[in-house]
Amino acid sequence: MAAPKALMEWARKTDEAREEWARQAVYGWARTERFSQPFSWGEAEAAVLERSYPPLPGRFLLNAVGAVAMGLLALIVVPLFGSAVVGLVLVALAGGQETGSEGLLWLARIAFAAAILVGGTGLSVWWQTRRRSVLGVALAAVTAIASGATYVLLLVLDLPTMPWLSILVLGAGTLGLVDLVLELVSRPEGGAKSRKPPRRGPRSSDKRQRAGVARDRLLDVLIHRRLVDVDEGDRIRLREMPLGYWSELDGLDEREWRRVLEYRHVGWREFDASDKQVR
């Protein structure tokens, strides 16, 4: 299925605008900049990071679309993850209705069926990781507490008999409680955060995005000027390196250079002397 013509036209104009942005923001100085010899990756990247750049063309529209998409996603995800709370509210509202509470209780059954799915998903995630996560603890606690409160309401309030509602409430509460206990007795998550690179360069995500694009353009210029000799695979790796880490490639022989460059596959961190040793 072909993309709408208006969308294709917008993409074409955005690409043209980005080329103009690159010519003004990067090419103008990068094509004539005198880089030291032997070439220093850290110096070249510092030349990028010390400059400020205008907003990227089309960025505002993309941010607006992303914000709308995140809002729509939140409208779906939040009620799903809080389905036990939704069920509790529905049961409480049904208890205050003199007539017509059956519809609310039917909706409560759907909510607690969803809560069982959430609880089962939480157990599945725990089974794969065997680690405690903040999100896992929060979801399990909310499900267990809301389900327990709902069951108490069902016992106290004079509500119409609704088959399976109590069973669904007990099932969601049991899954939530089991998940909560397993989360609490497990070791906390670790490793992923410690393997993320310490942030260097601009702090805001928008400025980092601009600097990243500018660094990609600089790499194209460096290759065009034959100041560096890298193949297509290394060009991709260099672009994937976090901002501020090209300096890790300076002063290394070919084998060490290759080893350090490959670290981008497993997560960046501060290097020490042992990391630069070739094994």
Side-chain angles (χ1 to χ4, degrees), residues 151-168:
Y151 189 73
V152 172
L153 283 179
L154 291 175
L155 294 178
V156 172
L157 298 177
D158 185 17
L159 295 172
T161 302
M162 184 61 60
W164 289 101
L165 178 56
S166 296
I167 296 176
L168 289 173

Side-chain angles (χ1 to χ4, degrees), residues 10-208:
W10 175 82
R12 183 186 64 80
K13 290 183 177 180
T14 300
D15 289 341
E16 292 177 353
R18 289 208 172 194
E19 285 298 322
E20 180 62 27
W21 182 93
R23 283 193 291 270
Q24 296 180 2
V26 181
Y27 295 166
W29 63 269
R31 286 173 172 169
T32 58
E33 182 80 3
R34 290 189 175 184
F35 295 100
S36 62
Q37 295 298 326
F39 180 78
S40 170
W41 288 99
E43 176 190 302
E45 186 177 40
V48 171
L49 298 181
E50 70 183 12
R51 286 172 167 79
S52 59
Y53 302 96
L56 286 165
R59 187 64 183 175
F60 176 80
L61 180 59
L62 289 176
N63 287 341
V65 173
V68 172
M70 290 299 295
L72 293 176
L73 183 62
L75 291 176
I76 299 173
V77 172
V78 172
L80 179 62
F81 283 173
S83 52
V85 177
V86 174
L88 171 61
V89 173
L90 291 171
V91 171
L93 291 176
Q97 299 283 333
E98 294 183 0
T99 58
S101 59
E102 291 84 356
L104 293 173
L105 294 178
W106 271 104
L107 292 175
R109 289 210 314 179
I110 297 175
F112 279 103
I116 289 177
L117 292 177
V118 172
T121 302
L123 286 175
S124 176
V125 172
W126 176 87
W127 185 261
Q128 295 176 17
T129 64
R130 308 297 177 92
R131 290 291 186 269
R132 179 170 71 245
S133 67
V134 175
L135 179 61
V137 171
L139 288 178
V142 167
T143 301
I145 294 172
S147 298
T150 303
Y151 189 73
V152 172
L153 283 179
L154 291 175
L155 294 178
V156 172
L157 298 177
D158 185 17
L159 295 172
T161 302
M162 184 61 60
W164 289 101
L165 178 56
S166 296
I167 296 176
L168 289 173
V169 172
L170 286 174
T174 301
L175 282 175
L177 183 60
V178 171
D179 192 13
L180 179 61
V181 172
L182 291 174
E183 292 276 354
L184 292 177
V185 300
S186 301
R187 294 193 309 177
E189 286 182 332
K193 289 185 177 181
S194 64
R195 296 176 72 86
K196 289 183 179 179
R199 178 165 289 194
R200 299 175 180 175
R203 305 301 297 179
S204 72
S205 59
D206 186 54
K207 289 183 178 180
R208 292 183 67 83

Side-chain angles (χ1 to χ4, degrees), residues 247-264:
S247 60
E248 303 291 346
L249 299 171
D250 291 330
L252 306 179
D253 61 26
E254 177 63 26
R255 293 181 64 196
E256 289 176 329
W257 191 88
R258 175 65 50 197
R259 174 177 169 78
V260 172
L261 192 60
E262 290 296 329
Y263 262 105
R264 101 211 193 288

